[in-house]
Amino acid sequence: MKHKYKEFALIKSSDDAGTISGYFSTYDRIPDSYGDIVKAGAFKESLEKDWDGGKQIPFLWSHHMDSLGAFIGTAVADEDDKGLHFVATFDDTEEAQRVRSLYKDGRLKKFSFAFDVLENGLVTLDDGTKANELRKLKLYEISAVTVPANDTAEVVGVK
């Protein structure tokens, strides 16, 4: 009788797996590629209710919620005057460390997030542009992406 063996990847925990910080959403009133702007405070309820004050938010590769390999870390987020700032700790996996490397050498520079719109409305900006203002959002995850909807969602630092 032949036995079947399956290989498993070892996921290690390490204090040296690295971190990244940046903004995954900004309040600059510049419409993103979908014509949306995010109102300051739009994440407040979700951060408190869904993420224990902004802790343990999944950090994914390119919104792939259906693949365990796409979970590349865990983020903590807080709101400031510029937008939603976060610090994510990378997992000590091959996939996570590859993404970290791509950010460190500048080939990746932006972020995105998955959400549901709970409240929104049409607004006219100072320059006359019409935009969909996202006023209340339910946050699901933060993602490392090559092309963001919001081009001002940027890296602050990578370690």
Side-chain angles (χ1 to χ4, degrees):
M1 172 179 203
K2 282 191 160 187
H3 294 284
K4 293 183 180 180
Y5 295 94
K6 187 158 183 108
E7 291 184 34
F8 293 92
L10 177 62
I11 298 174
K12 301 179 284 182
S13 176
S14 169
D15 292 337
D16 195 28
T19 61
I20 190 164
S21 63
Y23 287 87
F24 65 89
S25 181
T26 57
Y27 303 145
D28 53 20
R29 311 294 284 176
I30 299 170
D32 66 15
S33 63
Y34 295 101
D36 295 331
I37 58 172
V38 178
K39 182 177 181 180
F43 295 94
K44 183 178 180 180
E45 188 176 312
S46 184
L47 288 175
E48 288 299 319
K49 184 176 138 190
D50 303 323
W51 301 109
D52 189 25
K55 302 173 190 152
Q56 300 295 316
I57 301 165
F59 185 46
L60 304 180
W61 167 247
S62 200
H63 303 295
H64 292 290
M65 292 182 248
D66 59 345
S67 170
L68 285 177
F71 282 74
I72 58 173
T74 303
V76 175
D78 66 313
E79 186 175 29
D80 65 21
D81 290 340
K82 183 175 179 173
L84 261 291
H85 179 264
F86 77 98
V87 175
T89 301
F90 286 102
D91 291 341
D92 194 4
T93 62
E94 184 178 336
E95 294 87 352
Q97 293 305 307
R98 176 71 175 138
V99 172
R100 177 184 176 204
S101 174
L102 292 169
Y103 274 111
K104 283 180 89 170
D105 71 17
R107 288 186 280 167
L108 284 178
K109 299 177 184 194
K110 303 294 181 175
F111 303 103
S112 185
F113 60 97
F115 62 98
D116 278 338
V117 177
L118 303 177
E119 185 180 318
N120 66 315
L122 189 62
V123 295
T124 302
L125 303 175
D126 292 341
D127 67 357
T129 302
K130 298 225 184 278
N132 180 39
E133 183 178 61
L134 304 175
R135 297 174 182 154
K136 187 174 177 185
L137 301 172
K138 179 176 178 63
L139 177 67
Y140 290 104
E141 52 90 358
I142 302 166
S143 276
V145 295
T146 53
V147 180
N150 176 358
D151 202 42
T152 61
E154 62 188 4
V155 175
V156 171
V158 185
K159 295 181 185 175

